């Protein structure tokens, strides 16, 4: 897929979760353009931080604090966004009438390797072990994911 991900890119869902997001986006935009709603579609990228109970970094931290080994698919990239920054971006959209009918990425616009995130987390915690591996992607896997934040700025 083309990167960075632009808000106006064509989407090609590969599973039911993707289809549900595509349908919800289409519905929100259609209703807003018809004057029946005032909705904006926010697309948060790789949100991390306090309060997350699941997800890659949460599971990695949990394993390392417990002194366990954690396996990481090292070829992937993501666009990490601190949870408070994501919340601020969503609030800014909610109070901005110009955002109505728009799809807006909530991201930093910076591609960061999952390997680097795991290495830095391991250094910070200082326990456990991280094993890096490179496996054949499965259908629906996203190897590279980072977005354009031009609309958000």
């Amino acid at each position: 897929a083309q990167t960075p991900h632009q808000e106006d890119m064509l989407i090609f869902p590969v599973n039911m979760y993707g289809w549900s997001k595509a349908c919800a986006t289409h519905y929100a935009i259609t209703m807003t353009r018809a004057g029946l709603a005032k909705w904006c579609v926010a697309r948060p990228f790789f949100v991390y931080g306090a309060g997350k109970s699941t997800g890659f970094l949460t599971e990695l931290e949990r394993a390392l604090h417990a002194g366990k080994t954690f396996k990481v698919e090292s070829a992937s990239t993501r666009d990490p966004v601190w949870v408070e920054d994501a919340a601020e971006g969503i609030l800014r959209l909610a109070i901005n009438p110009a955002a109505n009918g728009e799809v807006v990425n909530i991201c930093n616009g910076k591609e960061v390797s999952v390997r680097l995130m795991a290495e830095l987390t391991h250094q910070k915690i200082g326990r456990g072990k991280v094993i890096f591996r490179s496996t054949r992607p499965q259908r629906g896997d996203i190897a590279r994911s980072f977005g354009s934040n031009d609309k958000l700025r």
Side-chain angles (χ1 to χ4, degrees), residues 11-22 138-142:
I11 54 175
F12 300 97
V14 297
N15 58 33
M16 288 307 294
Y17 176 65
W19 277 106
S20 70
K21 292 191 322 183
Q138 302 297 310
R139 188 178 190 317
D141 284 354
I142 299 171

PDB file of all heavy atoms in Angstrom, residues 11-22 138-142:
ATOM      1  N   ILE A  11      -9.592   2.657  -0.262  1.00  0.00           N
ATOM      2  CA  ILE A  11      -9.339   1.610   0.728  1.00  0.00           C
ATOM      3  C   ILE A  11      -9.786   0.269   0.168  1.00  0.00           C
ATOM      4  O   ILE A  11     -10.746   0.187  -0.595  1.00  0.00           O
ATOM      5  CB  ILE A  11     -10.029   1.919   2.070  1.00  0.00           C
ATOM      6  CG1 ILE A  11     -11.518   2.189   1.870  1.00  0.00           C
ATOM      7  CG2 ILE A  11      -9.376   3.106   2.750  1.00  0.00           C
ATOM      8  CD1 ILE A  11     -12.280   2.382   3.148  1.00  0.00           C
ATOM      9  N   PHE A  12      -9.058  -0.761   0.552  1.00  0.00           N
ATOM     10  CA  PHE A  12      -9.337  -2.117   0.098  1.00  0.00           C
ATOM     11  C   PHE A  12      -9.343  -3.048   1.305  1.00  0.00           C
ATOM     12  O   PHE A  12      -8.344  -3.704   1.595  1.00  0.00           O
ATOM     13  CB  PHE A  12      -8.273  -2.561  -0.917  1.00  0.00           C
ATOM     14  CG  PHE A  12      -8.226  -1.689  -2.141  1.00  0.00           C
ATOM     15  CD1 PHE A  12      -7.294  -0.671  -2.243  1.00  0.00           C
ATOM     16  CD2 PHE A  12      -9.133  -1.876  -3.171  1.00  0.00           C
ATOM     17  CE1 PHE A  12      -7.259   0.145  -3.365  1.00  0.00           C
ATOM     18  CE2 PHE A  12      -9.101  -1.068  -4.297  1.00  0.00           C
ATOM     19  CZ  PHE A  12      -8.169  -0.056  -4.400  1.00  0.00           C
ATOM     20  N   PRO A  13     -10.472  -3.100   2.029  1.00  0.00           N
ATOM     21  CA  PRO A  13     -10.539  -3.952   3.218  1.00  0.00           C
ATOM     22  C   PRO A  13     -10.291  -5.418   2.881  1.00  0.00           C
ATOM     23  O   PRO A  13     -10.705  -5.890   1.820  1.00  0.00           O
ATOM     24  CB  PRO A  13     -11.967  -3.758   3.726  1.00  0.00           C
ATOM     25  CG  PRO A  13     -12.445  -2.491   3.091  1.00  0.00           C
ATOM     26  CD  PRO A  13     -11.714  -2.394   1.784  1.00  0.00           C
ATOM     27  N   VAL A  14      -9.624  -6.117   3.795  1.00  0.00           N
ATOM     28  CA  VAL A  14      -9.334  -7.535   3.577  1.00  0.00           C
ATOM     29  C   VAL A  14     -10.011  -8.432   4.612  1.00  0.00           C
ATOM     30  O   VAL A  14      -9.893  -9.640   4.547  1.00  0.00           O
ATOM     31  CB  VAL A  14      -7.803  -7.808   3.579  1.00  0.00           C
ATOM     32  CG1 VAL A  14      -7.135  -7.083   2.425  1.00  0.00           C
ATOM     33  CG2 VAL A  14      -7.185  -7.420   4.903  1.00  0.00           C
ATOM     34  N   ASN A  15     -10.711  -7.810   5.577  1.00  0.00           N
ATOM     35  CA  ASN A  15     -11.420  -8.616   6.571  1.00  0.00           C
ATOM     36  C   ASN A  15     -12.666  -7.850   7.044  1.00  0.00           C
ATOM     37  O   ASN A  15     -12.889  -6.704   6.656  1.00  0.00           O
ATOM     38  CB  ASN A  15     -10.495  -8.992   7.748  1.00  0.00           C
ATOM     39  CG  ASN A  15      -9.910  -7.771   8.434  1.00  0.00           C
ATOM     40  OD1 ASN A  15     -10.542  -6.716   8.507  1.00  0.00           O
ATOM     41  ND2 ASN A  15      -8.700  -7.910   8.939  1.00  0.00           N
ATOM     42  N   MET A  16     -13.466  -8.490   7.867  1.00  0.00           N
ATOM     43  CA  MET A  16     -14.719  -7.880   8.321  1.00  0.00           C
ATOM     44  C   MET A  16     -14.480  -6.608   9.125  1.00  0.00           C
ATOM     45  O   MET A  16     -15.256  -5.659   9.040  1.00  0.00           O
ATOM     46  CB  MET A  16     -15.545  -8.884   9.139  1.00  0.00           C
ATOM     47  CG  MET A  16     -16.155  -9.986   8.287  1.00  0.00           C
ATOM     48  SD  MET A  16     -17.120  -9.373   6.875  1.00  0.00           S
ATOM     49  CE  MET A  16     -18.458  -8.554   7.695  1.00  0.00           C
ATOM     50  N   TYR A  17     -13.421  -6.573   9.908  1.00  0.00           N
ATOM     51  CA  TYR A  17     -13.111  -5.370  10.683  1.00  0.00           C
ATOM     52  C   TYR A  17     -12.863  -4.195   9.736  1.00  0.00           C
ATOM     53  O   TYR A  17     -13.407  -3.106   9.918  1.00  0.00           O
ATOM     54  CB  TYR A  17     -11.893  -5.622  11.585  1.00  0.00           C
ATOM     55  CG  TYR A  17     -11.441  -4.406  12.352  1.00  0.00           C
ATOM     56  CD1 TYR A  17     -12.267  -3.833  13.318  1.00  0.00           C
ATOM     57  CD2 TYR A  17     -10.206  -3.842  12.115  1.00  0.00           C
ATOM     58  CE1 TYR A  17     -11.862  -2.716  14.031  1.00  0.00           C
ATOM     59  CE2 TYR A  17      -9.786  -2.727  12.821  1.00  0.00           C
ATOM     60  CZ  TYR A  17     -10.619  -2.166  13.779  1.00  0.00           C
ATOM     61  OH  TYR A  17     -10.217  -1.055  14.474  1.00  0.00           O
ATOM     62  N   GLY A  18     -12.067  -4.421   8.711  1.00  0.00           N
ATOM     63  CA  GLY A  18     -11.790  -3.382   7.725  1.00  0.00           C
ATOM     64  C   GLY A  18     -13.041  -2.940   6.994  1.00  0.00           C
ATOM     65  O   GLY A  18     -13.260  -1.752   6.752  1.00  0.00           O
ATOM     66  N   TRP A  19     -13.885  -3.914   6.642  1.00  0.00           N
ATOM     67  CA  TRP A  19     -15.137  -3.578   5.966  1.00  0.00           C
ATOM     68  C   TRP A  19     -16.037  -2.752   6.869  1.00  0.00           C
ATOM     69  O   TRP A  19     -16.708  -1.816   6.411  1.00  0.00           O
ATOM     70  CB  TRP A  19     -15.859  -4.839   5.494  1.00  0.00           C
ATOM     71  CG  TRP A  19     -15.336  -5.330   4.182  1.00  0.00           C
ATOM     72  CD1 TRP A  19     -14.540  -6.423   3.973  1.00  0.00           C
ATOM     73  CD2 TRP A  19     -15.531  -4.734   2.900  1.00  0.00           C
ATOM     74  NE1 TRP A  19     -14.236  -6.532   2.634  1.00  0.00           N
ATOM     75  CE2 TRP A  19     -14.830  -5.511   1.952  1.00  0.00           C
ATOM     76  CE3 TRP A  19     -16.228  -3.620   2.455  1.00  0.00           C
ATOM     77  CZ2 TRP A  19     -14.815  -5.199   0.603  1.00  0.00           C
ATOM     78  CZ3 TRP A  19     -16.208  -3.310   1.099  1.00  0.00           C
ATOM     79  CH2 TRP A  19     -15.504  -4.109   0.191  1.00  0.00           C
ATOM     80  N   SER A  20     -16.085  -3.077   8.152  1.00  0.00           N
ATOM     81  CA  SER A  20     -16.956  -2.326   9.067  1.00  0.00           C
ATOM     82  C   SER A  20     -16.477  -0.879   9.180  1.00  0.00           C
ATOM     83  O   SER A  20     -17.293   0.053   9.216  1.00  0.00           O
ATOM     84  CB  SER A  20     -17.024  -3.000  10.441  1.00  0.00           C
ATOM     85  OG  SER A  20     -15.790  -2.882  11.132  1.00  0.00           O
ATOM     86  N   LYS A  21     -15.158  -0.669   9.211  1.00  0.00           N
ATOM     87  CA  LYS A  21     -14.629   0.701   9.265  1.00  0.00           C
ATOM     88  C   LYS A  21     -14.924   1.445   7.966  1.00  0.00           C
ATOM     89  O   LYS A  21     -15.292   2.627   7.988  1.00  0.00           O
ATOM     90  CB  LYS A  21     -13.126   0.687   9.542  1.00  0.00           C
ATOM     91  CG  LYS A  21     -12.779   0.207  10.932  1.00  0.00           C
ATOM     92  CD  LYS A  21     -11.349   0.422  11.356  1.00  0.00           C
ATOM     93  CE  LYS A  21     -10.307   0.236  10.342  1.00  0.00           C
ATOM     94  NZ  LYS A  21      -8.935   0.385  10.847  1.00  0.00           N
ATOM     95  N   ALA A  22     -14.779   0.773   6.834  1.00  0.00           N
ATOM     96  CA  ALA A  22     -15.047   1.409   5.539  1.00  0.00           C
ATOM     97  C   ALA A  22     -16.516   1.809   5.425  1.00  0.00           C
ATOM     98  O   ALA A  22     -16.832   2.915   4.963  1.00  0.00           O
ATOM     99  CB  ALA A  22     -14.658   0.456   4.404  1.00  0.00           C
ATOM    100  N   GLN A 138       0.942 -12.605   6.638  1.00  0.00           N
ATOM    101  CA  GLN A 138      -0.333 -13.294   6.464  1.00  0.00           C
ATOM    102  C   GLN A 138      -1.303 -12.344   5.761  1.00  0.00           C
ATOM    103  O   GLN A 138      -1.117 -11.134   5.773  1.00  0.00           O
ATOM    104  CB  GLN A 138      -0.906 -13.694   7.828  1.00  0.00           C
ATOM    105  CG  GLN A 138       0.010 -14.590   8.642  1.00  0.00           C
ATOM    106  CD  GLN A 138       0.256 -15.918   7.964  1.00  0.00           C
ATOM    107  OE1 GLN A 138      -0.679 -16.586   7.556  1.00  0.00           O
ATOM    108  NE2 GLN A 138       1.508 -16.307   7.850  1.00  0.00           N
ATOM    109  N   ARG A 139      -2.344 -12.910   5.163  1.00  0.00           N
ATOM    110  CA  ARG A 139      -3.358 -12.089   4.496  1.00  0.00           C
ATOM    111  C   ARG A 139      -3.906 -11.069   5.493  1.00  0.00           C
ATOM    112  O   ARG A 139      -4.309 -11.417   6.587  1.00  0.00           O
ATOM    113  CB  ARG A 139      -4.486 -12.984   3.988  1.00  0.00           C
ATOM    114  CG  ARG A 139      -5.498 -12.268   3.123  1.00  0.00           C
ATOM    115  CD  ARG A 139      -6.539 -13.248   2.637  1.00  0.00           C
ATOM    116  NE  ARG A 139      -7.495 -12.924   1.660  1.00  0.00           N
ATOM    117  CZ  ARG A 139      -8.229 -11.835   1.514  1.00  0.00           C
ATOM    118  NH1 ARG A 139      -8.074 -10.865   2.322  1.00  0.00           N
ATOM    119  NH2 ARG A 139      -9.120 -11.693   0.576  1.00  0.00           N
ATOM    120  N   GLY A 140      -3.896  -9.814   5.116  1.00  0.00           N
ATOM    121  CA  GLY A 140      -4.404  -8.755   5.978  1.00  0.00           C
ATOM    122  C   GLY A 140      -3.351  -8.079   6.835  1.00  0.00           C
ATOM    123  O   GLY A 140      -3.626  -7.051   7.441  1.00  0.00           O
ATOM    124  N   ASP A 141      -2.148  -8.656   6.920  1.00  0.00           N
ATOM    125  CA  ASP A 141      -1.079  -8.018   7.690  1.00  0.00           C
ATOM    126  C   ASP A 141      -0.694  -6.691   7.044  1.00  0.00           C
ATOM    127  O   ASP A 141      -0.683  -6.556   5.817  1.00  0.00           O
ATOM    128  CB  ASP A 141       0.175  -8.902   7.754  1.00  0.00           C
ATOM    129  CG  ASP A 141       0.031 -10.056   8.719  1.00  0.00           C
ATOM    130  OD1 ASP A 141      -0.998 -10.112   9.429  1.00  0.00           O
ATOM    131  OD2 ASP A 141       0.934 -10.900   8.762  1.00  0.00           O
ATOM    132  N   ILE A 142      -0.361  -5.734   7.856  1.00  0.00           N
ATOM    133  CA  ILE A 142       0.082  -4.433   7.363  1.00  0.00           C
ATOM    134  C   ILE A 142       1.544  -4.283   7.739  1.00  0.00           C
ATOM    135  O   ILE A 142       1.882  -4.142   8.909  1.00  0.00           O
ATOM    136  CB  ILE A 142      -0.757  -3.298   7.970  1.00  0.00           C
ATOM    137  CG1 ILE A 142      -2.220  -3.477   7.584  1.00  0.00           C
ATOM    138  CG2 ILE A 142      -0.230  -1.940   7.522  1.00  0.00           C
ATOM    139  CD1 ILE A 142      -3.168  -2.562   8.295  1.00  0.00           C
TER     140      ILE A 142
END
